[in-house]
Amino acid sequence: MTIYPHPAAETVTAGLSLRAALAGLPVIGRDEPIAREAVAADFAERYSGVPAVGLARPEPAVLYTGVLPDAAGPADATDPPAGPVPPVPSGRPVPPVLLGLYGDEDRVRGWLPGLPRHTTPRSAAALVAAGLPPVRTDTAPCQQVVAGEVDLRELPVLTATPRDAGPYLTAALVHAGDAATGGSALSAHRMLVIGRDRLTVWMVPGRRLGQLHQEAVARGERLPVTVNIGVPPAAMIASAINSRFLPTGSDKLTVAGGLAGAPVGLVPALTQPGATALAESEIVLEGFLDGTLADEALPGSPPDGSLPEFLGYDGRARSGLPVLTVTGVTTRRDPLYQAVIGPGREQSHILGAAGALSVALSLPSAPALHVHDLHFSPAGGGMLLLAVAVRKESAEGDRALAALAEEVVRRHPFVKTVLFTDDDVRIRSAEELLWALTTRANLGADCVELPGHPPVPMDPSQTAEWAGERGGPPEAPARTFVDATTPYRLRTRTERSFRSAQS
């Protein structure tokens, strides 16, 4: 590993600036020329971890500085109907591509002093209570350079595999505020570049951005937005928290302020009145969502694959997605372009840290159980496998696990398996979880089905076809929880021979 030279960080904390987070990190610099279609595969082969590849390893921050300009890009309605798209005319240098920044959990925690050491209902509530609302400024680093024209082909938007629908933005946060309702949204979405100034946006049903978009369209209005690339780490983690579980008066950017220990900065957009951008972003796309829809495919191609999903399998394209029209582009001087490859430690840590906070905020009171920690394993992409360390206050705690598991999977539909352990188990260690599973559970009796929950289609084992091959009924598969805890009355029989302070 080498310390790679990077633009100097401003005097802001690491939680509030990607550049400050990079400062002092052992960043691997890849200077050799490389096509943007090859960057993701190179990172996956050399550096990525589970579930992208079958290696359990943290991911380093890698900066690709030799990404070649794109000689041809996606066509749109203004292009000629046939023939290649002309090469990018500006001649501006291609921004370096940053991958792997969030690929180490301890690294992320070091940037965010407000992120609880143990994620519990109490610590999550304390984080929200300590939240700091964002502050507005008239000038910001993200507007140091204003593009003279919009041409998304000038950005090194990656194509991860030959089966992808095309180039996708993967680590960009869409920020929207609705002046009519006072609502706001901050969330990451996969966005396919389908033209010089157009993107399709896949919004998981129920997301706040989708609600704001539908409300604006129903009023016959456009929803002004910014797309922020290279955002503060606190904003990235907060963006993945489920806003349904935030109390009235709080929002994701306020939680981001609590994570960083200082408020996030916002700056008004230059081409979209009412929209604001994250001031410390590397690159900002300003634009709007209206009633325009398009298939998740390049012009002239049918919807097919999308890009690698968070569990490590190819995704499937969608039809009739909202189109985001870009009206302006601003950047820092010498900007960095940040991306994720889809599956891998980086995506798992972002989703897992925010997911644990979401679960903690949603848990009901359970007097017989004390939740000691919550952790989403990277093996489930940071979403499907939830480990819960508990301390039982009485024998009633043995029977309280089922109700707690049912409440978790009901409120968090991506959770497939809940694994309960005692509070002497380090649930952030895969070996510790396997030890508890091996010595404190008999799966024939201690693995319990929770039926009646819809499948997660990105998980192949939850499909009707999979169930049919297993000889089972084709209805939606059940969720499960595993009791790898010691029965309350036998707890003295499983005390560990060697005891140490738990992390």
Side-chain angles (χ1 to χ4, degrees), residues 214-269:
Q214 292 169 7
E215 292 167 359
V217 170
R219 297 192 303 267
E221 300 174 357
R222 295 172 170 177
L223 180 67
V225 301
T226 60
V227 179
N228 301 265
I229 303 168
V231 302
M236 179 64 78
I237 300 301
S239 73
I241 294 174
N242 193 322
S243 57
R244 290 195 300 122
F245 305 119
L246 295 177
T248 302
S250 184
D251 59 24
K252 292 180 180 181
L253 282 177
T254 298
V255 175
L259 287 169
V264 174
L266 295 177
V267 65

Short mmCIF file of all heavy atoms in Angstrom, two decimals, residues 214-269:
data_model
loop_
_atom_site.label_atom_id
_atom_site.label_comp_id
_atom_site.label_asym_id
_atom_site.label_seq_id
_atom_site.Cartn_x
_atom_site.Cartn_y
_atom_site.Cartn_z
N GLN A 214 -44.22 11.64 -6.47
CA GLN A 214 -45.62 11.43 -6.82
C GLN A 214 -46.49 12.61 -6.42
O GLN A 214 -47.40 13.02 -7.16
CB GLN A 214 -46.12 10.14 -6.15
CG GLN A 214 -45.48 8.89 -6.71
CD GLN A 214 -45.78 7.65 -5.87
OE1 GLN A 214 -46.57 7.70 -4.93
NE2 GLN A 214 -45.14 6.54 -6.21
N GLU A 215 -46.21 13.19 -5.26
CA GLU A 215 -47.00 14.35 -4.81
C GLU A 215 -46.78 15.54 -5.74
O GLU A 215 -47.72 16.27 -6.07
CB GLU A 215 -46.62 14.70 -3.38
CG GLU A 215 -47.06 13.65 -2.36
CD GLU A 215 -46.40 13.85 -1.01
OE1 GLU A 215 -45.59 14.80 -0.87
OE2 GLU A 215 -46.68 13.06 -0.07
N ALA A 216 -45.54 15.77 -6.18
CA ALA A 216 -45.27 16.88 -7.08
C ALA A 216 -45.95 16.69 -8.42
O ALA A 216 -46.55 17.62 -8.98
CB ALA A 216 -43.75 17.05 -7.25
N VAL A 217 -45.86 15.47 -8.96
CA VAL A 217 -46.50 15.19 -10.25
C VAL A 217 -48.01 15.36 -10.14
O VAL A 217 -48.66 15.90 -11.06
CB VAL A 217 -46.11 13.78 -10.73
CG1 VAL A 217 -46.95 13.37 -11.95
CG2 VAL A 217 -44.63 13.70 -11.07
N ALA A 218 -48.58 14.92 -9.03
CA ALA A 218 -50.03 15.07 -8.85
C ALA A 218 -50.45 16.54 -8.84
O ALA A 218 -51.57 16.86 -9.24
CB ALA A 218 -50.46 14.38 -7.56
N ARG A 219 -49.56 17.42 -8.40
CA ARG A 219 -49.85 18.86 -8.41
C ARG A 219 -49.51 19.50 -9.76
O ARG A 219 -49.68 20.70 -9.93
CB ARG A 219 -49.04 19.57 -7.32
CG ARG A 219 -49.37 19.15 -5.90
CD ARG A 219 -48.75 20.12 -4.89
NE ARG A 219 -47.31 20.23 -5.05
CZ ARG A 219 -46.41 19.51 -4.39
NH1 ARG A 219 -46.82 18.59 -3.53
NH2 ARG A 219 -45.12 19.68 -4.58
N GLY A 220 -48.99 18.70 -10.69
CA GLY A 220 -48.58 19.24 -11.98
C GLY A 220 -47.29 20.01 -11.91
O GLY A 220 -47.06 20.91 -12.73
N GLU A 221 -46.42 19.66 -10.98
CA GLU A 221 -45.17 20.39 -10.77
C GLU A 221 -43.98 19.47 -10.96
O GLU A 221 -44.09 18.23 -10.95
CB GLU A 221 -45.13 20.98 -9.36
CG GLU A 221 -46.26 21.96 -9.05
CD GLU A 221 -46.24 22.39 -7.60
OE1 GLU A 221 -45.39 21.89 -6.83
OE2 GLU A 221 -47.08 23.24 -7.22
N ARG A 222 -42.82 20.07 -11.12
CA ARG A 222 -41.55 19.35 -11.10
C ARG A 222 -41.01 19.31 -9.67
O ARG A 222 -41.25 20.23 -8.89
CB ARG A 222 -40.54 20.05 -11.99
CG ARG A 222 -40.87 20.05 -13.48
CD ARG A 222 -39.88 20.94 -14.22
NE ARG A 222 -40.00 20.82 -15.66
CZ ARG A 222 -39.30 21.52 -16.54
NH1 ARG A 222 -38.41 22.41 -16.09
NH2 ARG A 222 -39.47 21.35 -17.83
N LEU A 223 -40.27 18.27 -9.36
CA LEU A 223 -39.59 18.17 -8.07
C LEU A 223 -38.12 18.50 -8.28
O LEU A 223 -37.38 17.72 -8.89
CB LEU A 223 -39.74 16.77 -7.48
CG LEU A 223 -39.06 16.55 -6.12
CD1 LEU A 223 -39.74 17.39 -5.04
CD2 LEU A 223 -39.06 15.07 -5.74
N PRO A 224 -37.64 19.67 -7.81
CA PRO A 224 -36.22 20.00 -7.97
C PRO A 224 -35.37 19.15 -7.04
O PRO A 224 -35.72 18.92 -5.88
CB PRO A 224 -36.15 21.48 -7.60
CG PRO A 224 -37.32 21.70 -6.69
CD PRO A 224 -38.40 20.74 -7.14
N VAL A 225 -34.23 18.68 -7.54
CA VAL A 225 -33.36 17.79 -6.76
C VAL A 225 -31.91 18.13 -7.06
O VAL A 225 -31.58 18.79 -8.05
CB VAL A 225 -33.61 16.31 -7.10
CG1 VAL A 225 -35.05 15.90 -6.84
CG2 VAL A 225 -33.21 15.99 -8.54
N THR A 226 -31.04 17.64 -6.18
CA THR A 226 -29.61 17.59 -6.48
C THR A 226 -29.14 16.15 -6.31
O THR A 226 -29.66 15.41 -5.47
CB THR A 226 -28.79 18.51 -5.55
OG1 THR A 226 -28.98 18.12 -4.18
CG2 THR A 226 -29.18 19.96 -5.73
N VAL A 227 -28.18 15.77 -7.13
CA VAL A 227 -27.54 14.46 -7.04
C VAL A 227 -26.11 14.71 -6.59
O VAL A 227 -25.32 15.34 -7.31
CB VAL A 227 -27.57 13.73 -8.39
CG1 VAL A 227 -26.88 12.37 -8.26
CG2 VAL A 227 -29.01 13.54 -8.87
N ASN A 228 -25.78 14.24 -5.40
CA ASN A 228 -24.52 14.57 -4.75
C ASN A 228 -23.58 13.37 -4.77
O ASN A 228 -23.92 12.29 -4.28
CB ASN A 228 -24.79 14.99 -3.30
CG ASN A 228 -25.72 16.19 -3.22
OD1 ASN A 228 -25.28 17.32 -3.13
ND2 ASN A 228 -27.03 15.94 -3.27
N ILE A 229 -22.41 13.56 -5.35
CA ILE A 229 -21.41 12.50 -5.50
C ILE A 229 -20.18 12.87 -4.68
O ILE A 229 -19.72 14.01 -4.72
CB ILE A 229 -21.03 12.33 -6.98
CG1 ILE A 229 -22.27 12.02 -7.83
CG2 ILE A 229 -19.99 11.22 -7.15
CD1 ILE A 229 -22.04 12.11 -9.32
N GLY A 230 -19.64 11.88 -3.94
CA GLY A 230 -18.52 12.17 -3.06
C GLY A 230 -18.96 12.96 -1.85
O GLY A 230 -18.44 14.03 -1.55
N VAL A 231 -19.92 12.42 -1.11
CA VAL A 231 -20.58 13.15 -0.03
C VAL A 231 -19.87 12.93 1.31
O VAL A 231 -19.05 12.02 1.45
CB VAL A 231 -22.06 12.71 0.10
CG1 VAL A 231 -22.79 12.95 -1.21
CG2 VAL A 231 -22.15 11.24 0.52
N PRO A 232 -20.20 13.73 2.32
CA PRO A 232 -19.66 13.49 3.66
C PRO A 232 -20.05 12.10 4.16
O PRO A 232 -21.18 11.65 3.96
CB PRO A 232 -20.33 14.57 4.51
CG PRO A 232 -20.66 15.67 3.55
CD PRO A 232 -21.01 14.97 2.26
N PRO A 233 -19.12 11.38 4.81
CA PRO A 233 -19.45 10.04 5.32
C PRO A 233 -20.68 10.03 6.23
O PRO A 233 -21.46 9.09 6.19
CB PRO A 233 -18.18 9.65 6.08
CG PRO A 233 -17.09 10.34 5.32
CD PRO A 233 -17.67 11.66 4.93
N ALA A 234 -20.85 11.07 7.05
CA ALA A 234 -22.02 11.09 7.93
C ALA A 234 -23.31 11.10 7.13
O ALA A 234 -24.30 10.46 7.51
CB ALA A 234 -21.96 12.31 8.86
N ALA A 235 -23.32 11.83 6.02
CA ALA A 235 -24.51 11.87 5.17
C ALA A 235 -24.74 10.54 4.49
O ALA A 235 -25.89 10.10 4.32
CB ALA A 235 -24.38 12.99 4.15
N MET A 236 -23.67 9.88 4.05
CA MET A 236 -23.82 8.59 3.39
C MET A 236 -24.46 7.57 4.33
O MET A 236 -25.40 6.85 3.94
CB MET A 236 -22.47 8.09 2.91
CG MET A 236 -22.53 6.73 2.21
SD MET A 236 -23.51 6.73 0.69
CE MET A 236 -22.35 7.49 -0.45
N ILE A 237 -23.99 7.47 5.56
CA ILE A 237 -24.57 6.51 6.51
C ILE A 237 -25.99 6.91 6.86
O ILE A 237 -26.91 6.07 6.84
CB ILE A 237 -23.70 6.41 7.78
CG1 ILE A 237 -22.28 5.95 7.44
CG2 ILE A 237 -24.36 5.47 8.79
CD1 ILE A 237 -22.19 4.60 6.76
N ALA A 238 -26.22 8.17 7.14
CA ALA A 238 -27.56 8.61 7.53
C ALA A 238 -28.57 8.40 6.40
O ALA A 238 -29.75 8.15 6.66
CB ALA A 238 -27.53 10.08 7.95
N SER A 239 -28.13 8.50 5.16
CA SER A 239 -29.05 8.37 4.03
C SER A 239 -29.73 7.01 3.98
O SER A 239 -30.82 6.87 3.43
CB SER A 239 -28.31 8.62 2.71
OG SER A 239 -27.47 7.52 2.37
N ALA A 240 -29.07 5.98 4.52
CA ALA A 240 -29.61 4.62 4.46
C ALA A 240 -30.49 4.28 5.65
O ALA A 240 -31.04 3.17 5.72
CB ALA A 240 -28.47 3.61 4.34
N ILE A 241 -30.64 5.19 6.62
CA ILE A 241 -31.57 4.97 7.73
C ILE A 241 -32.99 5.06 7.21
O ILE A 241 -33.31 5.90 6.37
CB ILE A 241 -31.32 6.00 8.85
CG1 ILE A 241 -29.93 5.79 9.47
CG2 ILE A 241 -32.39 5.93 9.93
CD1 ILE A 241 -29.55 6.86 10.47
N ASN A 242 -33.85 4.20 7.72
CA ASN A 242 -35.26 4.23 7.32
C ASN A 242 -35.94 5.41 8.01
O ASN A 242 -36.09 5.43 9.24
CB ASN A 242 -35.94 2.92 7.70
CG ASN A 242 -37.30 2.77 7.04
OD1 ASN A 242 -38.06 3.73 6.90
ND2 ASN A 242 -37.64 1.55 6.66
N SER A 243 -36.37 6.40 7.22
CA SER A 243 -36.93 7.62 7.80
C SER A 243 -38.24 7.38 8.52
O SER A 243 -38.68 8.24 9.30
CB SER A 243 -37.11 8.67 6.70
OG SER A 243 -37.92 8.19 5.66
N ARG A 244 -38.89 6.24 8.29
CA ARG A 244 -40.15 5.94 8.99
C ARG A 244 -39.95 5.87 10.49
O ARG A 244 -40.90 6.07 11.26
CB ARG A 244 -40.74 4.61 8.50
CG ARG A 244 -41.26 4.64 7.09
CD ARG A 244 -42.15 3.43 6.82
NE ARG A 244 -41.45 2.16 7.00
CZ ARG A 244 -41.82 1.20 7.84
NH1 ARG A 244 -42.87 1.37 8.64
NH2 ARG A 244 -41.13 0.08 7.90
N PHE A 245 -38.74 5.57 10.93
CA PHE A 245 -38.51 5.37 12.35
C PHE A 245 -37.88 6.59 13.03
O PHE A 245 -37.55 6.53 14.21
CB PHE A 245 -37.65 4.13 12.56
CG PHE A 245 -38.22 2.89 11.91
CD1 PHE A 245 -37.54 2.22 10.92
CD2 PHE A 245 -39.49 2.44 12.26
CE1 PHE A 245 -38.08 1.10 10.32
CE2 PHE A 245 -40.05 1.33 11.66
CZ PHE A 245 -39.34 0.66 10.68
N LEU A 246 -37.72 7.67 12.27
CA LEU A 246 -37.23 8.90 12.89
C LEU A 246 -38.39 9.66 13.51
O LEU A 246 -39.46 9.75 12.91
CB LEU A 246 -36.53 9.77 11.84
CG LEU A 246 -35.25 9.19 11.23
CD1 LEU A 246 -34.71 10.13 10.16
CD2 LEU A 246 -34.19 8.95 12.30
N PRO A 247 -38.20 10.22 14.67
CA PRO A 247 -39.30 10.95 15.32
C PRO A 247 -39.64 12.23 14.57
O PRO A 247 -38.83 12.76 13.80
CB PRO A 247 -38.75 11.24 16.72
CG PRO A 247 -37.26 11.23 16.55
CD PRO A 247 -36.98 10.21 15.48
N THR A 248 -40.83 12.73 14.80
CA THR A 248 -41.26 13.99 14.20
C THR A 248 -40.28 15.10 14.57
O THR A 248 -39.87 15.23 15.72
CB THR A 248 -42.67 14.35 14.69
OG1 THR A 248 -43.56 13.29 14.34
CG2 THR A 248 -43.14 15.65 14.05
N GLY A 249 -39.90 15.88 13.58
CA GLY A 249 -38.96 16.97 13.82
C GLY A 249 -37.53 16.62 13.51
O GLY A 249 -36.66 17.50 13.52
N SER A 250 -37.26 15.34 13.20
CA SER A 250 -35.91 14.94 12.84
C SER A 250 -35.90 14.49 11.39
O SER A 250 -36.93 14.11 10.83
CB SER A 250 -35.41 13.81 13.75
OG SER A 250 -34.07 13.48 13.47
N ASP A 251 -34.75 14.54 10.76
CA ASP A 251 -34.60 14.02 9.41
C ASP A 251 -33.18 13.47 9.28
O ASP A 251 -32.37 13.51 10.21
CB ASP A 251 -34.89 15.08 8.35
CG ASP A 251 -33.99 16.30 8.47
OD1 ASP A 251 -32.88 16.20 9.03
OD2 ASP A 251 -34.39 17.38 7.99
N LYS A 252 -32.87 12.93 8.11
CA LYS A 252 -31.60 12.23 7.95
C LYS A 252 -30.40 13.17 8.06
O LYS A 252 -29.36 12.79 8.63
CB LYS A 252 -31.58 11.50 6.61
CG LYS A 252 -32.57 10.35 6.54
CD LYS A 252 -32.51 9.66 5.19
CE LYS A 252 -33.49 8.50 5.11
NZ LYS A 252 -33.43 7.81 3.80
N LEU A 253 -30.51 14.37 7.52
CA LEU A 253 -29.39 15.29 7.62
C LEU A 253 -29.14 15.73 9.06
O LEU A 253 -28.00 15.98 9.46
CB LEU A 253 -29.60 16.49 6.72
CG LEU A 253 -29.34 16.26 5.22
CD1 LEU A 253 -29.66 17.50 4.42
CD2 LEU A 253 -27.89 15.82 4.98
N THR A 254 -30.21 15.82 9.86
CA THR A 254 -30.04 16.13 11.28
C THR A 254 -29.33 14.99 11.99
O THR A 254 -28.44 15.21 12.82
CB THR A 254 -31.41 16.40 11.92
OG1 THR A 254 -32.00 17.54 11.29
CG2 THR A 254 -31.28 16.67 13.41
N VAL A 255 -29.69 13.75 11.66
CA VAL A 255 -28.99 12.59 12.22
C VAL A 255 -27.53 12.59 11.77
O VAL A 255 -26.63 12.26 12.56
CB VAL A 255 -29.69 11.29 11.83
CG1 VAL A 255 -28.89 10.07 12.31
CG2 VAL A 255 -31.10 11.24 12.40
N ALA A 256 -27.28 12.96 10.52
CA ALA A 256 -25.90 13.04 10.03
C ALA A 256 -25.08 14.00 10.88
O ALA A 256 -23.91 13.74 11.19
CB ALA A 256 -25.89 13.47 8.56
N GLY A 257 -25.69 15.12 11.28
CA GLY A 257 -25.00 16.04 12.17
C GLY A 257 -24.65 15.40 13.50
O GLY A 257 -23.59 15.66 14.07
N GLY A 258 -25.56 14.55 14.02
CA GLY A 258 -25.26 13.83 15.25
C GLY A 258 -24.14 12.82 15.06
O GLY A 258 -23.30 12.64 15.95
N LEU A 259 -24.11 12.15 13.93
CA LEU A 259 -23.04 11.19 13.66
C LEU A 259 -21.68 11.87 13.59
O LEU A 259 -20.68 11.36 14.10
CB LEU A 259 -23.32 10.45 12.34
CG LEU A 259 -24.44 9.42 12.34
CD1 LEU A 259 -24.77 9.00 10.92
CD2 LEU A 259 -24.07 8.21 13.19
N ALA A 260 -21.63 13.03 12.92
CA ALA A 260 -20.36 13.73 12.72
C ALA A 260 -19.97 14.59 13.92
O ALA A 260 -18.81 14.97 14.04
CB ALA A 260 -20.45 14.60 11.47
N GLY A 261 -20.94 14.93 14.77
CA GLY A 261 -20.66 15.84 15.87
C GLY A 261 -20.64 17.29 15.45
O GLY A 261 -20.21 18.17 16.21
N ALA A 262 -21.11 17.59 14.25
CA ALA A 262 -21.18 18.96 13.73
C ALA A 262 -22.17 18.93 12.57
O ALA A 262 -22.35 17.91 11.91
CB ALA A 262 -19.81 19.44 13.26
N PRO A 263 -22.82 20.06 12.28
CA PRO A 263 -23.86 20.06 11.26
C PRO A 263 -23.32 19.94 9.84
O PRO A 263 -22.23 20.42 9.52
CB PRO A 263 -24.57 21.40 11.48
CG PRO A 263 -23.55 22.26 12.14
CD PRO A 263 -22.72 21.34 12.99
N VAL A 264 -24.11 19.31 8.98
CA VAL A 264 -23.82 19.21 7.56
C VAL A 264 -24.15 20.55 6.90
O VAL A 264 -25.14 21.20 7.24
CB VAL A 264 -24.65 18.08 6.91
CG1 VAL A 264 -24.47 18.06 5.39
CG2 VAL A 264 -24.27 16.73 7.52
N GLY A 265 -23.32 20.97 5.94
CA GLY A 265 -23.56 22.21 5.23
C GLY A 265 -24.38 22.01 3.97
O GLY A 265 -24.21 21.02 3.25
N LEU A 266 -25.29 22.94 3.69
CA LEU A 266 -26.10 22.94 2.48
C LEU A 266 -25.90 24.25 1.74
O LEU A 266 -25.68 25.30 2.36
CB LEU A 266 -27.59 22.77 2.80
CG LEU A 266 -28.05 21.46 3.44
CD1 LEU A 266 -29.54 21.52 3.75
CD2 LEU A 266 -27.75 20.27 2.53
N VAL A 267 -26.00 24.19 0.41
CA VAL A 267 -25.87 25.39 -0.41
C VAL A 267 -26.97 25.38 -1.46
O VAL A 267 -27.32 24.31 -1.99
CB VAL A 267 -24.48 25.44 -1.08
CG1 VAL A 267 -24.28 24.30 -2.07
CG2 VAL A 267 -24.25 26.79 -1.75
N PRO A 268 -27.59 26.53 -1.77
CA PRO A 268 -28.64 26.55 -2.79
C PRO A 268 -28.11 26.14 -4.16
O PRO A 268 -27.00 26.50 -4.55
CB PRO A 268 -29.11 28.00 -2.79
CG PRO A 268 -28.70 28.54 -1.45
CD PRO A 268 -27.43 27.83 -1.10
N ALA A 269 -28.92 25.38 -4.88
CA ALA A 269 -28.56 25.01 -6.25
C ALA A 269 -28.57 26.25 -7.14
O ALA A 269 -29.30 27.22 -6.87
CB ALA A 269 -29.53 23.96 -6.78
#
